[in-house]
Amino acid sequence: MRLVVLILLAMAPAFALYVFNSYQQTVAQKGNVREAALRLVRVMKASHTQTIEEAKGVLKAMAQLSSLRKTGPHRCDLLRSELAPTFPRFAEIGLASPNGDVICLTGPSRAKSNVASQPFFSDTMARHDIGAGPYQIDEASLLPQVFLGVPITGDAMRVDAVLFASLSLSQFETLPPAVQLSHDSIIVVFDDTGLVLARYPDPQGWRGTRRIADSPIVRTVRGSLEEEGVIDLQGADDVPRLFAFAKIHRTTKQTVYLAIGIPAALAYADASNAFRSNMLNLGLVSLLVLWIAWVGSHRLVVRKMQSLIRVSDRIRNGDFGARSGVARTRDEVGLLASAIDSMAQSIQSRVAELQRHGDELRELKEMNDALQACMTQDEVLAIVRQFALRLFPDQPGMLYLMHPSGDHLEAKTRWGDPAAMNEFLPQDCWAVRRGKMYRVEAGGDQPRCHHVQDPPPGNYVCVPLMVQGEMLGLLHLENDKIGNRSREQPMVQAAAEHTALTLANLRLRDTLHAQAMRDGLTGLFNRRFMEESLSREMRNARRTKSPVAIVMIDIDHFKRFNDTFGHAAGDTLLREVGKMLQRQMRGGDLACRYGGEEFTIILPATSLHNAADLAEKLRDSARHLRVTMDGQALGQITISLGVACFPEHGDTWEAVLHAADIALMQAKHTRNRTIAYGAEEVSVPGRKVGT
């Protein structure tokens, strides 16, 4: 009996742990059910939101039709004959004047002759943007619907009319087939007044009524500050249910909710059954333990040996965390158990070390793969920080990059709270001086780097980022483990090498990209980039029906300037003219060197008149440009300009560029002139024309 009592006392913690784990498992299963219900609500909410946004986009697109922006009876014909059949999701489409009078309406009219008092109309007029009314039930079809309105603006952004439409929210009809709900589950859509917009299934005809206005679910969601949630409540049909709800529409006057109700007994059936099964198993095990303890007390030694055999089998099958559990006594069984446990501990430590090394290699490979996919320096910095936290946990650090001036290093990213400066000179770090890794141990006599602040960390290591002898930056890690020095250093070195190679490749790519796009003398875009940009801008202009202007520029008497002052002075003049063009350009304009002393300016979305005005400003700026070389003034310069515009002067960029070139040739007959293609000399009021 004493042995039975002893066994029961020994097993009591295990039984308690089993009960606790069973309870936790039940709680987790219930949590999974609640999360699944919430995910289902989110999917339905996203589907509904997408439908509303698509409808708003369609209505906005209608409002941009030029036929609707012009007054006349043709607008009503367009609504009835084309727009209404094209967009059947709109039950009605109408047009109203700014004072709310309905101009025309498609379909059987159920709207008032004046909609000024409608919420969607006042919302649209107040915001000068798309407005929406409350969700409501259509009296004829008994389906939920919402009115949307969008302003049709004329000159000076004045609202000339309001295009409105009744959007049938009939997609609620498709929700039940789209989801696999359990038996007796319901889906209900209602507003904060308790009006049922949709209910599935709805055998009792709840839609369009307020029969759930005082139900627990309506009171709960109406008083909740959360956008979504899960709660156990008594349903309006007196059935305990698990409700998952979300707000799908909210204005100052109305909030609409979507809720899914699953019978609680059905929702938690699996969790409850699992808990009962676990408790039954526990009872059976308890009875079995008592029987074994009662009839097998004489087999204490055999049980110990069986335990040793079991742990040996587990170790043989790869479970190196297995232990015998036998007391380490000085008898033969205790010594054998101690030897087996020590062996398992040694094997487990070695396997853990190998696994840790493999994990680190995989992390390094992932880091290298991520760095190879980086397109910018900021992406590299983010990747380095991410993997530094994974490779070197609990080790603060910083990544420094050399400033473009080359006179100091500055911190670009950090993790933890390192005791290092944000900026320092190259001579302040021993690793930068020596060009190799430098490590300082706590209590050591190595000189510390000057960029490490007081109080200094116990240990730190600095690894320079170098590629082909060029110093790109520095990787600084603190509190690295002395006991794992042989393991830590290769990891730090490898991470630094991957980072340095990636940064060097990005710099090389950026340099090659700039050389391919820019003119080396003036810094402007080259001719190849100009042709690609013209092709792109012409495609955009055709799509948006906007103009694109081209200005051709030629420096007057450039050959004589070269012959007088030399080619070096000519290069200086070209650079100064390039700088002048860059200063005068607006955002989105492109200044390019066409070749020799000729330049081209691309002006997207710019009319011929505005382009000519900008050309006159450039000509005036050129007359006031003062170019000096070695302290000697090179004299006043003038430029000639030719202007052409798409689509007036051609339907391709080659044709427009040719037209601008012809205008430039006309301007060069007298020089210091701006000529628009097909027109006389451009004259801007208030500005004198040069001679």
Side-chain angles (χ1 to χ4, degrees), residues 178-243:
V179 297
Q180 299 299 323
L181 291 178
S182 56
H183 180 64
D184 292 335
S185 297
I186 63 170
I187 301 175
V188 60
V189 182
F190 57 94
D191 66 6
D192 46 5
T193 66
L195 175 64
V196 178
L197 297 170
R199 188 183 189 275
Y200 305 100
D202 190 18
Q204 299 176 356
W206 289 26
R207 183 170 59 193
T209 69
R210 288 185 169 83
R211 294 169 62 181
I212 66 171
D214 294 326
S215 64
I217 180 62
V218 174
R219 293 196 302 268
T220 299
V221 301
R222 189 164 50 199
S224 174
L225 299 178
E226 302 294 333
E227 292 294 323
E228 59 186 19
V230 182
I231 192 169
D232 293 295
L233 290 173
Q234 191 83 4
D237 52 0
D238 296 328
V239 176
R241 296 181 183 275
L242 167 66
F243 282 98

Side-chain angles (χ1 to χ4, degrees), residues 364-384:
L364 275 177
K365 183 180 182 301
E366 290 183 16
M367 177 181 178
N368 185 49
D369 293 341
L371 288 174
Q372 294 299 321
C374 291
M375 301 298 293
T376 64
Q377 178 177 291
D378 291 340
E379 292 179 350
V380 174
L381 297 176
I383 293 298
V384 170

Side-chain angles (χ1 to χ4, degrees), residues 59 471 523 668:
L59 203 60
M471 180 65 63
K668 288 174 63 177

